[in-house]
Amino acid sequence: MAFASLKDLYLDELGDLYDAETQMIRTLPRLAEAARAPELREALKKHCDESRLHLERLELIFTHWGERRRVKPCAGLAGIVQEADERLTQEATDDVRDASIIGVAQRIEHYEIAAYGCARTYARRLNRLDEARLLQETLDEEGRTDRRLSEIAEAHINDDARTEADLQAEPPVGRLHYVPMDVVAQGRTDYGPLAVRNTADEELGVLDGLVAEGELGAARYAVIDAGGLLTHRRFLLPLSLIRFDEGNRLLRVDIDKDVATRYPPFDRDEFQTMSDDDRSGYETRLLTFFRLDHGDPAAAADQAPALPEWLVTGTWITASPNRVRDLPKEARSFVNEFAPVSGERADRHREQLVAREFDPPPPPNESIDVTPPHGDKLR
């Protein structure tokens, strides 16, 4: 059918809505019968009665125009109804089935709200204000039903549909674990980023974390953030290739800058969502790459080498209790918790792992220990 004017489009929309309401009258009783929660059954039955009133309003509008009722199959709602029927035939607990019924019923409501909103607007533009008022009444009833379904779902049905396993599900964990840089803290008096340069003093990036195996003492790779204009490129370097330049307080590695650009990239977000199988394959590719590229004996070993001395003595892992609670389970074993306290309130004669606002002066005849108090906590 060709649309020559807004009137043609308006009447076509009304015909689509008429078929949609007819399908609703057939579908809602099935949903109500399958529902277990009494308030859900009541809401669906009430809206089924409202749908019959909606049909009468549509018939009255066609009468106003002196037109025969134009009925056309509503394919959009038919698809939602088919999905509803499939949900009803799937095996599920009563609570889960109620949650799924609310979901499909609200899809139907949202479809009709959109369609009635368009029809109401067309009626106003055509100066059919009485018809616009009738359509607005229907629109209000559809909205109230949608809100009532949300209230029922939020009151208890969605919570009842959960299981203990849903609440305790953990993300997949592979052999390799990423330890972010805000956990791998810098040395006590050096809070800046730890730069990474090659022997030609070309800048390769900054240390952005570690990739470890189960325990931090078995870390294999350093994550290097090479920066970038719009996005940060991160790549991996074996810890065995990196040394600490004490004089310049940075990390050195004996590779050319252009060689570093083809080292394995590392995407933190993608890595965290990998399955066990994906992480295992990723680890195998890393071991193969570094064994072939550098003949790195650490890459060929089944066990990751011990942490290099520069990492043990130059940095330590520490975090506040609040931060520790937010960390992935596998990263918590890497962490020493500290509890920030005021320097004025800190008891120097009581041993505790704390971070002070400032360090009090040492008592007379007491030497200053220049070794970070947490320096060997990673051993």
Side-chain angles (χ1 to χ4, degrees):
M1 173 183 175
F3 297 144
S5 67
L6 184 61
K7 172 190 171 183
D8 293 337
L9 180 59
Y10 173 53
L11 294 176
D12 185 81
E13 189 75 61
L14 295 178
D16 186 87
L17 280 167
Y18 194 95
D19 185 70
E21 293 290 3
T22 303
Q23 293 186 55
M24 284 279 286
I25 292 172
R26 293 196 301 263
T27 303
L28 288 175
R30 297 202 303 274
L31 297 179
E33 183 179 354
R36 180 184 68 92
E39 64 271 34
L40 178 56
R41 288 200 301 269
E42 180 183 353
L44 293 172
K45 289 178 180 178
K46 178 182 177 181
H47 193 56
C48 185
D49 293 337
E50 289 177 338
S51 294
R52 292 185 174 89
L53 177 59
H54 300 168
L55 278 180
E56 293 177 4
R57 290 173 182 160
L58 293 172
E59 289 175 345
L60 181 59
I61 293 174
F62 280 118
T63 301
H64 287 175
W65 284 92
E67 294 268 351
R68 293 182 55 187
R69 187 174 68 232
R70 299 183 183 181
V71 180
K72 55 169 288 187
C74 180
L77 197 69
I80 302 176
V81 169
Q82 181 180 354
E83 182 178 346
D85 289 336
E86 291 173 355
R87 290 285 176 88
L88 292 180
T89 58
Q90 289 176 342
E91 185 176 350
T93 65
D94 289 340
D95 293 324
V96 173
R97 178 168 288 108
D98 279 358
S100 70
I101 288 172
I102 291 176
V104 295
Q106 287 192 297
R107 286 189 181 93
I108 292 172
E109 294 306 312
H110 295 170
Y111 181 93
E112 291 199 315
I113 287 171
Y116 274 110
C118 288
R120 185 259 341 257
T121 301
Y122 297 158
R124 288 175 178 172
R125 301 308 298 169
L126 292 168
N127 203 29
R128 312 288 289 197
L129 300 185
D130 288 341
E131 297 170 16
R133 179 182 55 80
L134 290 174
L135 294 169
Q136 183 62 55
E137 289 179 10
T138 297
L139 194 57
D140 292 341
E141 289 163 356
E142 300 287 2
R144 282 195 295 269
T145 299
D146 180 53
R147 290 190 294 273
R148 178 57 181 153
L149 290 171
S150 292
E151 291 171 0
I152 295 171
E154 293 169 1
H156 68 92
I157 287 180
N158 287 345
D159 287 341
D160 292 345
R162 295 184 305 184
T163 65
E164 195 68 21
D166 292 337
L167 299 177
Q168 296 181 351
E170 296 183 355
V173 176
R175 180 181 175 188
L176 295 178
H177 309 301
Y178 170 62
V179 185
M181 197 58 203
D182 59 349
V183 177
V184 184
Q186 296 299 318
R188 179 170 182 168
T189 59
D190 185 2
Y191 297 98
L194 195 57
V196 182
R197 291 177 173 270
N198 61 15
T199 51
D201 209 37
E202 295 175 309
E203 184 174 351
L204 302 182
V206 295
L207 183 64
D208 192 53
L210 300 173
V211 175
E213 294 179 7
E215 298 292 339
L216 184 62
R220 278 191 184 271
Y221 307 106
V223 180
I224 310 301
D225 184 351
L229 182 60
L230 297 177
T231 60
H232 285 249
R233 179 187 180 273
R234 294 175 176 85
F235 63 94
L236 298 181
L237 277 177
L239 282 173
S240 58
L241 301 181
I242 301 174
R243 61 182 175 84
F244 185 62
D245 185 338
E246 182 70 31
N248 294 298
R249 304 294 299 174
L250 52 80
L251 301 178
R252 295 281 186 190
V253 60
D254 187 16
I255 60 171
D256 292 334
K257 188 171 184 176
D258 59 339
V259 172
T261 60
R262 61 182 180 84
Y263 269 39
F266 182 80
D267 186 308
R268 295 180 300 186
D269 296 333
E270 181 181 351
F271 181 80
Q272 297 288 43
T273 59
M274 282 184 181
S275 66
D276 268 350
D277 289 342
D278 289 339
R279 287 199 187 184
S280 178
Y282 182 67
E283 179 182 9
T284 300
R285 292 192 296 274
L286 291 178
L287 294 173
T288 302
F289 176 88
F290 288 115
R291 184 169 59 248
L292 295 176
D293 195 70
H294 274 278
D296 181 19
D302 291 335
Q303 297 286 333
L307 286 178
E309 187 176 355
W310 63 264
L311 181 60
V312 176
T313 59
T315 65
W316 70 86
I317 293 182
T318 181
S320 68
N322 289 338
R323 171 58 178 153
V324 171
R325 285 194 291 270
D326 295 335
L327 292 174
K329 179 179 178 182
E330 64 270 13
R332 292 177 190 167
S333 61
F334 306 158
V335 176
N336 289 324
E337 295 186 28
F338 71 85
V341 300
S342 169
E344 296 176 351
R345 295 188 292 106
D347 182 357
R348 289 186 290 104
H349 301 290
R350 178 185 175 191
E351 291 188 5
Q352 54 184 341
L353 189 61
V354 301
R356 298 189 176 96
E357 295 172 346
F358 56 86
D359 289 328
N365 300 324
E366 182 177 324
S367 62
I368 301 176
D369 185 2
V370 297
T371 303
H374 320 351
D376 59 352
K377 289 293 182 181
L378 298 180
R379 295 181 185 273

